[in-house]
Amino acid sequence: MTEPVTVAKKPRPLRKLESRCVDVVRNTHDTVTLHFDTGAQPEYDAGQFISIDPRQFPELSRQIAFLEHLKGKREQHRAYSMSSAPAERYVAITVKAETFDPKHDKYPPLLSPFLASDAMKGRKVAFVGYTGAYTLDDDHGEQTSQVLHLCAGSGIVPNYALLKDELLNRKNPSVKHTMVYVNKTVGDVIFEAELQQMAHDFPERFDLVHCLTRDEPGERGAWWRKGRPTAEWVRSLVKDPTTVQVFACGAAITKHQRHAAEETGIAPTPRFMEGVEEIVHALGVDKARFKSEEFG
Ligand SMILES: Cc1cc2nc3c(=O)[nH]c(=O)nc-3n(C[C@H](O)[C@H](O)[C@H](O)COP(=O)(O)OP(=O)(O)OC[C@H]3O[C@@H](n4cnc5c(N)ncnc54)[C@H](O)[C@@H]3O)c2cc1C
């Protein structure tokens, strides 16, 4: 196996795109996929994201004014990874509606509950795209024979796009994809049927293991496991830690939580991505072979 050499993707200029939301598909109790028609075949790389300005939605104007008053700064665009792969006609994003718990959260979430509502169908939506380095190198089949996907919750979104692009388009056929997907309960699993179908259709190329932290897997089968992934267990899934490429996406301690921790002196509770860092370190995976995307 050769050392990783990045074959740079052709950079595309960021553009503001006008679209119409042509379909809204509910994935779980709190997650929906929105399909946007931009009027042309979109050009991006699997794993990239778009940004949406909440200010374009008049329904949010009072909430924005109030939050800006409290926060003392302008509300920013929010980033959303695409769950669609480049060959698909529509750009899709999959949004989890964040909740508000006054014990942990300073403000209620702004954009995600609005996007993850049925109100979006048929609406015009402007977004900025396409960007992000959470992509597979064009020649990754020459760098590795295994990609390990470590995902939690809505962190499945860009990895689902990467998988679709590789498997359905039969790219890099010598590369095997191993996915560990962590959720609290069965009801939180996004794309359960779609992932299962890919595991069924590509048994030589795709292994999927679900980890549940609060539910028992019950009779769901051998590929469902109770508990968080440990370094020892993940090691048993990896053929060669010196050549594996790791793509990890999920929640990490946010800058707001770090800031609050500094003020209170109470250390923030590690989240999924802090656990991933430990696992990758314990496995001895080279930094050049590890890509991560952190959702707040
Ligand atoms: C590259 C990237 C890709 C992403 N892809 C996805 C995806 O595919 N799907 C998905 O669902 N999400 C994704 N996200 C997360 C998404 O961008 C939003 O962060 C998420 O939807 C929450 O947005 P919101 O407007 O609902 O909540 P926000 O209003 O942003 O609030 C979120 C939390 O931050 C806290 N907070 C906000 N501002 C402050 C402040 N000033 N001080 C203290 N606390 C504050 C709030 O209390 C709340 O708990 C992605 C993020 C990134 C960076």
Side-chain angles (χ1 to χ4, degrees):
M1 212 58 64
T2 53
E3 279 305 298
V5 181
T6 306
V7 174
K9 304 261 185 195
K10 241 196 228 162
R12 297 187 187 91
L14 272 182
R15 286 198 297 148
K16 186 171 175 190
L17 293 141
E18 304 291 339
S19 78
R20 187 169 293 280
C21 179
V22 290
D23 204 4
V24 178
V25 177
R26 182 152 290 280
N27 303 105
T28 70
H29 62 102
D30 60 2
T31 306
V32 303
T33 295
L34 306 173
H35 296 259
F36 299 126
D37 183 359
T38 58
Q41 182 63 37
E43 285 185 22
Y44 57 87
D45 296 313
Q48 289 195 305
F49 65 87
I50 62 172
S51 300
I52 301 182
D53 185 352
R55 310 175 78 85
Q56 69 187 286
F57 302 112
E59 293 93 325
L60 298 180
S61 62
R62 293 161 195 84
Q63 216 176 323
I64 289 172
F66 184 55
L67 288 172
E68 288 185 344
H69 169 70
L70 294 179
K71 296 179 188 176
K73 62 175 189 177
R74 203 176 150 86
E75 286 293 345
Q76 304 291 317
H77 284 57
R78 269 52 167 178
Y80 292 97
S81 297
M82 286 171 281
S83 48
S84 52
E88 293 173 43
R89 173 67 183 83
Y90 300 130
V91 172
I93 59 169
T94 301
V95 182
K96 178 178 183 288
E98 297 298 335
T99 52
F100 175 63
D101 177 353
K103 275 194 258 148
H104 307 290
D105 305 320
K106 200 164 172 184
Y107 309 108
L110 176 62
L111 186 58
S112 63
F114 183 65
L115 291 180
S117 75
D118 297 330
M120 294 306 292
K121 190 162 180 188
R123 285 188 73 129
K124 282 186 182 170
V125 178
F127 60 81
V128 175
Y130 303 95
T131 190
Y134 195 74
T135 56
L136 283 160
D137 295 342
D138 288 336
D139 67 342
H140 78 274
E142 288 164 30
Q143 301 170 18
T144 191
S145 61
Q146 187 181 25
V147 176
L148 174 67
H149 303 255
L150 299 174
C151 309
S154 57
I156 189 68
V157 175
N159 292 64
Y160 177 59
L162 290 169
L163 266 178
K164 278 198 291 186
D165 195 37
E166 288 293 308
L167 301 185
L168 304 183
N169 296 323
R170 293 178 163 73
K171 293 183 178 174
N172 300 291
S174 62
V175 178
K176 180 154 192 156
H177 293 261
T178 304
M179 174 175 278
V180 175
Y181 184 20
V182 184
N183 280 284
K184 290 190 183 106
T185 70
V186 173
D188 296 316
V189 178
I190 307 171
F191 305 129
E192 182 186 354
E194 293 87 342
L195 291 168
Q196 208 58 49
Q197 190 65 48
M198 282 200 274
H200 175 268
D201 293 346
F202 300 94
E204 304 301 321
R205 291 203 60 196
F206 181 38
D207 281 341
L208 168 67
V209 192
H210 289 281
C211 293
L212 299 175
T213 58
R214 294 201 188 152
D215 260 359
E216 290 297 331
E219 302 298 306
R220 302 186 78 80
W223 296 110
W224 291 78
R225 202 176 168 270
K226 178 76 197 271
R228 288 172 211 289
T230 61
E232 196 185 2
W233 175 70
V234 173
R235 175 67 188 90
S236 71
L237 305 174
V238 172
K239 283 190 276 184
D240 179 356
T242 65
T243 60
V244 71
Q245 289 187 345
V246 182
F247 277 67
C249 185
I253 297 171
T254 65
K255 64 172 193 268
H256 306 305
Q257 289 165 334
R258 284 192 198 286
H259 190 229
E262 277 162 25
E263 282 181 355
T264 59
I266 302 165
T269 311
R271 301 177 77 190
F272 176 71
M273 291 302 285
E274 284 75 32
V276 164
E277 293 275 350
E278 278 178 23
I279 290 173
V280 167
H281 181 71
L283 262 57
V285 175
D286 192 286
K287 272 197 182 121
R289 293 185 178 276
F290 172 42
K291 282 195 183 182
S292 62
E293 193 99 282
E294 297 180 353
F295 293 3

